[in-house]
Amino acid sequence: MNRYLFILTIALGMTASSHAQQQGDPKATEVWTPVPKVVDPGNTSKAPSDAIVLFDGKNLDQWVSAKDGGKAGWTIENGVLTVKAGAGDIKTKDVFGDCQLHIEWRTPAKVESEGQGRGNSGIFFMQQYELQVLDSYNNQTYSNGQAGSLYKQHMPLVNACRPPGEWQTYDVIFTAPKFKEDGSLLSPARVTVLHNNVLIQNNVELKGKTLYIGQPFYEKHGPGSIQLQDHGNPVSYRNIWLRKL
Ligand code: MG
């Protein structure tokens, strides 16, 4: 038998034996309905067709001051939203539960201060659970408070920060906590985060609302706003969209 015929014989034999293990009707395991809804995925500058656009560079129509519900007092210039120090946090008018969030952020190109004082902002889900925004490029601080941490609860798996002044992305899957009638916790909040397309939080479980001091705990609540933090540093944002899950 020549070499090629030998290989062919072996290959046919393997196919026959693997088919022999697969008896029955393949159609029995095919699912044809329902059919997933068609979504235009967009691109780097355009949100998916089923997303709620929270900021597209034009205005702050979707946002209010977190403090008093009045006008959101941050700056928009050349399509970029920037924290105005002292204006306070801003929050979305709408409230959300489980969601997918895309947000782009940039810490100041001019490096000032250090640790938690350098390019600090943050994204709060349901106004309670902070995903840290910080210039963590060659900037030491406590690991569970660096960029990509779920503040004081989970440090990021890796530091995927770009240098100050460069745009960075977060893509987040947030699962809201669920509560029983009596107010006790049924299931905790869970978070997955990609930072610049790198997985940094893998479906981690939150211990409760973000606290600066002390151990986190849960208090029963319903859907809540996305809130962006004014930590006194001129951090910028652009291209913010959310999909309800
Ligand atoms: Mg912060």
Side-chain angles (χ1 to χ4, degrees):
M1 194 185 293
N2 80 33
R3 187 156 157 259
Y4 295 103
L5 194 58
F6 176 72
I7 290 167
L8 184 66
T9 307
I10 298 271
L12 285 172
M14 282 168 70
T15 307
S17 72
S18 67
H19 274 216
Q21 289 158 16
Q22 295 272 305
Q23 304 257 321
D25 182 5
K27 285 193 164 31
T29 46
E30 294 175 0
V31 176
W32 285 71
T33 56
V35 177
K37 191 177 72 171
V38 173
V39 170
D40 173 350
N43 53 46
T44 49
S45 56
K46 190 177 138 224
S49 57
D50 64 347
I52 298 165
V53 175
L54 296 175
F55 179 69
D56 65 359
K58 296 190 185 86
N59 57 59
L60 279 171
D61 289 358
Q62 304 290 325
W63 301 81
V64 291
S65 158
K67 196 164 43 189
D68 56 15
K71 196 169 171 289
W74 291 12
T75 315
I76 299 176
E77 211 175 71
N78 300 324
V80 172
L81 173 64
T82 301
V83 175
K84 189 174 173 193
D89 292 9
I90 64 172
K91 66 172 186 178
T92 55
K93 288 178 182 170
D94 284 339
V95 292
F96 309 102
D98 298 354
C99 65
Q100 172 186 355
L101 180 78
H102 173 86
I103 189 163
E104 299 176 20
W105 54 276
R106 183 181 67 187
T107 60
K110 188 174 173 225
V111 172
E112 285 175 321
S113 191
E114 57 181 6
Q116 293 287 313
R118 188 166 135 187
N120 195 334
S121 182
I123 301 147
F124 286 83
F125 290 82
M126 307 182 104
Q127 291 194 265
Q128 306 219 22
Y129 311 103
E130 185 187 12
L131 170 59
Q132 177 70 303
V133 169
L134 192 75
D135 176 2
S136 286
Y137 190 85
N138 295 328
N139 177 31
Q140 202 179 15
T141 187
Y142 40 98
S143 302
N144 61 356
Q146 70 178 69
S149 64
L150 292 152
Y151 188 77
K152 293 225 171 143
Q153 296 193 35
H154 294 281
M155 63 180 74
L157 294 168
V158 293
N159 180 347
C161 260
R162 294 205 166 108
E166 289 192 18
W167 283 103
Q168 317 206 38
T169 58
Y170 278 157
D171 288 280
V172 186
I173 313 297
F174 178 82
T175 303
K178 287 167 189 66
F179 298 91
K180 297 178 197 163
E181 279 293 308
D182 67 4
S184 61
L185 186 70
L186 180 65
S187 58
R190 308 195 73 93
V191 191
T192 295
V193 183
L194 300 176
H195 181 190
N196 298 325
N197 301 323
V198 175
L199 182 71
I200 59 162
Q201 299 286 356
N202 190 4
N203 196 30
V204 295
E205 197 176 294
L206 294 184
K207 302 179 189 95
K209 62 181 173 184
T210 299
L211 291 181
Y212 180 46
I213 298 169
Q215 293 304 319
F217 58 91
Y218 280 104
E219 277 175 313
K220 187 180 180 183
H221 64 82
S225 300
I226 301 288
Q227 183 166 324
L228 302 180
Q229 185 184 48
D230 167 13
H231 203 282
N233 303 141
V235 172
S236 297
Y237 291 96
R238 70 177 184 190
N239 202 16
I240 309 172
W241 53 257
L242 177 149
R243 296 179 63 244
K244 289 183 180 178
L245 300 177

